[in-house]
Amino acid sequence: MAEGNQTVISEFLLLGLPIQPEHQRLFYALFLAMYLTTILGNLLIIVLIGLDSHLHTPMYLFLSNLSFSDLCFSSVTVPKLLQNLQSQVSSIPYAGCLTQIYFFLYFGDLGNFLLVAMAYDRYVAICFPLHYTNIMNPKLCMCLVVLSWVLTTFHAMLHTLLMARLSFCANNVIPHYFCDMSALLKLACSDIYANEVVIFFVVSLLLVIPFALIIMSYARIVFSILKVPSSQGIRKAFSTCGSHLSVVTLFYGTVIGLYLCPSANNSTVKETVMSLMYTVVTPMLNPFIYSLRNRDIKGALERIFCKRKTQLNL
């Protein structure tokens, strides 16, 4: 529908992944397997933490919320990606695009804040073990979780409303597999200065500061453990922080590189691959890194299976 020399866009076309047609079935199977792993891994953690009273601690409260966040974050983009690969239906309604932006930001930010809370929890547990119970009391833990949910609501709503005020011209092709804010801004006909300023300053606050806090927390943990001059202390330091920091760096590094330090040399393919890292790979890895390699989680699994076996024998 035309309005003067502008066109009211009712839908966008997602170009999807730059994959040759003969390879689409292979990538469909790959991303489907990764998505199912993400869903099942995170659901398993949520169920285990809910069923086992031994896991009703601050760390696992944050973990259950992180698992829910990862599950939802992946579900915002991957099902549409799979649909595009399978049926070649690449269109997404205008309202659906804004909805995807809102929930993408919402669950992405939620995971971001929960990672900070988890890093702080580990810092207190390892550096101040005698005061851990007093510091990480139930009231503080619930406040951190609720604050994470509330802050993400306002941030996601802010960007979604700023996107809704923009006008779009005849070009409605998004060179991405989801409604990415940066890609949408390039299609806008109206002034995007306010959007760019808000993205830079708000995203700087919500990404760089949490990332710095996480790095500082784990650095203090490493220094605290290394005070014990033993090879066991060094192994403990790297086992505690190494795998966690690798996932944190993967998530924050790609997001900061895409949104805060965009390069003119970045190709669409490069940006798409970087996006896949934090939308598909990181939510799949988190259950393995944070929980499924954990003794407490393994113990919970054994207790539940033993309980089921005992009930069946009776």
Side-chain angles (χ1 to χ4, degrees):
M1 185 172 69
E3 239 181 58
N5 18 351
Q6 290 187 354
T7 302
V8 176
I9 298 294
S10 61
E11 66 177 16
F12 294 98
L13 297 178
L14 299 171
L15 284 187
L17 300 177
I19 299 172
Q20 297 297 325
E22 61 269 23
H23 298 147
Q24 286 193 347
R25 288 187 178 180
L26 175 64
F27 278 93
Y28 175 83
L30 173 65
F31 287 120
L32 178 62
M34 294 174 73
Y35 180 59
L36 291 176
T37 303
T38 302
I39 297 297
L40 294 175
N42 285 295
L43 276 178
L44 177 62
I45 291 168
I46 293 169
V47 170
L48 283 176
I49 293 173
L51 292 178
D52 195 311
S53 59
H54 295 84
L55 300 181
H56 294 172
T57 62
M59 180 62 177
Y60 293 106
L61 170 67
F62 299 139
L63 267 176
S64 61
N65 279 270
L66 179 66
S67 293
F68 180 76
S69 171
D70 284 340
L71 188 156
C72 295
F73 184 59
S74 187
S75 297
V76 171
T77 57
V78 178
K80 182 60 180 174
L81 168 62
L82 293 172
Q83 182 190 21
N84 292 352
L85 287 172
Q86 181 70 9
S87 62
Q88 305 299 316
V89 179
S90 59
S91 63
I92 182 170
Y94 174 79
C97 196
L98 289 182
T99 302
Q100 190 179 58
I101 288 174
Y102 175 82
F103 286 108
F104 177 82
L105 292 170
Y106 186 88
F107 291 112
D109 287 341
L110 181 59
N112 175 32
F113 288 125
L114 290 170
L115 286 174
V116 177
M118 289 168 60
Y120 178 68
D121 176 81
R122 292 300 83 198
Y123 163 68
V124 174
I126 293 174
C127 297
F128 304 99
L130 298 179
H131 303 285
Y132 177 76
T133 306
N134 291 330
I135 297 174
M136 298 303 295
N137 57 73
K139 184 178 179 181
L140 175 63
C141 294
M142 286 307 300
C143 284
L144 289 174
V145 171
V146 171
L147 185 63
S148 298
W149 284 84
V150 171
L151 286 177
T152 54
T153 301
F154 288 113
H155 179 236
M157 185 61 71
L158 172 64
H159 285 291
T160 307
L161 292 175
L162 284 172
M163 291 299 302
R165 57 180 277 276
L166 298 179
S167 301
F168 295 92
C169 301
N171 184 10
N172 68 336
V173 178
I174 301 174
H176 221 303
Y177 62 92
F178 69 97
C179 290
D180 179 63
M181 281 198 304
S182 299
L184 270 176
L185 289 176
K186 294 174 184 177
L187 301 180
C189 297
S190 49
D191 184 22
I192 61 172
Y193 179 73
N195 296 70
E196 291 178 328
V197 169
V198 171
I199 286 174
F200 182 80
F201 284 105
V202 176
V203 173
S204 295
L205 288 174
L206 297 183
L207 278 179
V208 176
I209 293 177
F211 183 53
L213 290 173
I214 291 171
I215 296 298
M216 287 170 57
S217 296
Y218 282 117
R220 291 293 299 272
I221 290 171
V222 171
F223 290 141
S224 177
I225 294 174
L226 290 180
K227 286 179 182 177
V228 181
S230 67
S231 57
Q232 184 180 0
I234 296 173
R235 283 197 302 270
K236 186 179 178 184
F238 284 105
S239 66
T240 302
C241 306
S243 57
H244 291 202
L245 283 176
S246 63
V247 175
V248 167
T249 304
L250 178 65
F251 176 78
Y252 284 99
T254 51
V255 174
I256 290 171
L258 275 173
Y259 294 105
L260 291 185
C261 310
S263 170
N265 299 323
N266 276 3
S267 64
T268 302
V269 175
K270 185 178 178 181
E271 290 180 354
T272 302
V273 171
M274 291 173 73
S275 298
L276 285 171
M277 288 297 171
Y278 72 86
T279 59
V280 180
V281 177
T282 304
M284 182 188 68
L285 291 179
N286 277 347
F288 298 98
I289 297 298
Y290 286 103
S291 299
L292 298 181
R293 294 171 63 233
N294 187 300
R295 289 181 183 177
D296 294 336
I297 294 290
K298 290 179 181 178
L301 268 173
E302 291 173 3
R303 283 189 293 273
I304 289 174
F305 280 123
C306 289
K307 187 177 179 181
R308 289 282 181 187
K309 191 175 180 181
T310 304
Q311 289 174 345
L312 289 173
N313 290 335
L314 292 175

